[in-house]
Amino acid sequence: MQIAAQPFPYEFELATTALVIIDMQRDFLEPGGFGESLGNDVGLLRKIIPACREVLQSWRERGGLVVHTRESHRADLSDCPPAKRERGSPRLRIGDVGPMGRILVAGEPGNAIIPELAPAPGEIEIDKPGKGAFHATPLQDLLQARGITHLVFMGVTTEVCVQTSMREANDRGYDCLLLEDCTESYFPRFKASTVEMIHAQGGIVGWVASSADFLRAR
Ligand code: TIU
């Protein structure tokens, strides 16, 4: 299959491509979670939910592999570097109790993927302690075992966990595509810059396309 993309058409096959949905969890998309504790307007991120749902639904119908990630830490915070927990002056720190349970802790209500994009049985779920999806996770082994060579990214936030994960994937040899209308940032100008820097220099990090073009791929 080939679709229109920047900086040039993106080619992929269903059997060797995974849809990777980064951190569409309540912590970043609903009031009272980690995103808001950092001082952000979480409402900005919710506008991508319908497009993400459409792509996820279509990918499931085609039988494609789906990977969901969550930024999350163990209850004892043993996988949370003190530098991450202590940086800045957030209203609530990682591990503190907020309106949706302990901030960014696995299994807490706020750590769950939003219901609109809830993982289905058989889909890969990755709890990641860092911003990148490969750091300290089994993702590379899981993808290699399935012969995956191409990754299509959606999720939040564009310049933090999505971009970090794409760069990690690019260095591991994957051909990465970002769906532009399925990713969002708390800072619109950061999203715009990230999209531009991903496909600059002949696709230095990867490709960028619209969900409409991706959905049309046959
Ligand atoms: N703060 C921010 O923009 N993002 C994060 O902390 N994590 C993710 O991007 N998932």
Side-chain angles (χ1 to χ4, degrees):
M1 288 181 274
Q2 189 187 80
I3 65 164
Q6 288 181 290
F8 49 83
Y10 181 74
E11 287 183 39
F12 66 101
E13 300 301 330
L14 181 66
T16 53
T17 304
L19 177 66
V20 182
I21 311 173
I22 300 290
D23 300 358
M24 289 294 283
Q25 60 200 70
R26 298 180 68 200
D27 275 310
F28 294 109
L29 291 137
E30 294 185 15
F34 185 57
E36 194 181 69
S37 81
L38 298 173
N40 297 304
D41 171 7
V42 295
L44 268 176
L45 269 47
R46 298 192 63 83
K47 64 174 185 273
I48 65 169
I49 295 172
C52 290
R53 266 176 73 94
E54 202 175 353
V55 170
L56 175 59
Q57 178 69 22
S58 154
W59 196 246
R60 281 173 174 160
E61 284 167 9
R62 296 189 208 192
L65 181 67
V66 180
V67 177
H68 303 262
T69 72
R70 283 177 292 260
E71 184 172 347
S72 72
H73 294 281
R74 295 188 200 117
D76 63 3
L77 303 187
S78 58
D79 59 355
C80 182
K84 180 175 181 182
R85 184 164 196 271
E86 288 160 18
R87 191 163 312 153
S89 48
R91 278 198 284 279
L92 292 168
R93 291 189 187 276
I94 295 167
D96 289 351
V97 177
M100 294 194 289
R102 294 181 68 203
I103 298 286
L104 232 52
V105 169
E108 297 288 329
N111 210 230
I113 308 273
I114 57 169
E116 296 92 329
L117 299 170
E123 295 177 347
I124 295 175
E125 298 179 43
I126 297 285
D127 285 314
K128 60 181 190 52
K131 302 305 183 193
F134 290 85
H135 169 69
T137 74
L139 183 56
Q140 170 77 334
D141 289 344
L142 293 170
L143 295 176
Q144 278 187 331
R146 290 162 176 77
I148 298 295
T149 55
H150 288 59
L151 300 176
V152 177
F153 284 87
M154 315 196 292
V156 296
T157 61
T158 317
E159 81 281 11
V160 183
C161 291
V162 175
Q163 176 169 218
T164 303
S165 299
M166 285 188 77
R167 288 175 181 273
E168 285 184 330
N170 190 48
D171 282 349
R172 285 166 175 76
Y174 297 93
D175 278 329
C176 298
L177 172 70
L178 175 63
L179 298 180
E180 186 169 3
D181 53 322
C182 297
T183 183
E184 197 48 79
S185 168
Y186 299 120
F187 304 86
R189 69 185 191 281
F190 290 174
K191 172 180 172 178
S193 299
T194 302
V195 164
E196 202 177 339
M197 69 178 77
I198 283 169
H199 69 68
Q201 306 184 65
I204 194 77
V205 177
W207 287 255
V208 177
S210 69
S211 64
D213 283 334
F214 183 69
L215 289 165
R216 269 198 293 273
R218 286 292 174 265

